[in-house]
Every structure is written in structure tokens, then in C-alpha cells.
């Protein structure tokens, strides 16, 4: 059984890392969302009746 402090410290570390690299993370996140939406649109157009 894991102690409750382990996940909390991991979350804190991840949040601190995102704050430190805020611009890069947001840029990659936006690119990922745009890529997924673009892929879904391309598939929808390709397989449209």
C-alpha cells in the first residue's frame, strides 16, 4: 500500500515542472490538440459518404 504523500509529492513536482516550463508545455499541448483535431477532420472527410 502506498502512502498518501507519494502521489501528492508527484503531483506537486509535476505542477512545479509545468510552471517552470509553462510556455513550452502550453505550446506542445496546443500542437497536440491541433494535430488530433486535424487527424479527426481528415478521417471524417476521407470516409465521408
Amino acid at each position: 500500500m502506498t502512502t498518501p504523500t507519494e502521489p501528492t509529492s508527484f503531483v506537486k513536482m509535476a505542477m512545479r515542472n509545468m510552471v517552470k516550463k509553462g510556455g513550452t508545455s502550453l505550446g506542445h499541448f496546443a500542437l497536440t490538440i491541433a494535430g488530433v483535431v486535424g487527424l479527426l477532420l481528415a478521417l471524417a472527410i476521407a470516409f465521408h459518404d
Side-chain angles (χ1 to χ4, degrees):
M1 197 89 173
T2 59
T3 58
T5 56
E6 285 179 13
T8 307
S9 63
F10 178 74
V11 169
K12 283 182 183 176
M13 183 182 69
M15 293 292 279
R16 199 178 306 126
N17 196 23
M18 272 201 66
V19 169
K20 200 188 305 178
K21 304 178 180 177
T24 307
S25 296
L26 286 176
H28 288 166
F29 185 68
L31 281 175
T32 303
I33 295 297
V36 170
V37 170
L39 179 66
L40 288 174
L41 280 173
L43 286 172
I45 291 169
F47 291 104
H48 189 265
D49 290 345

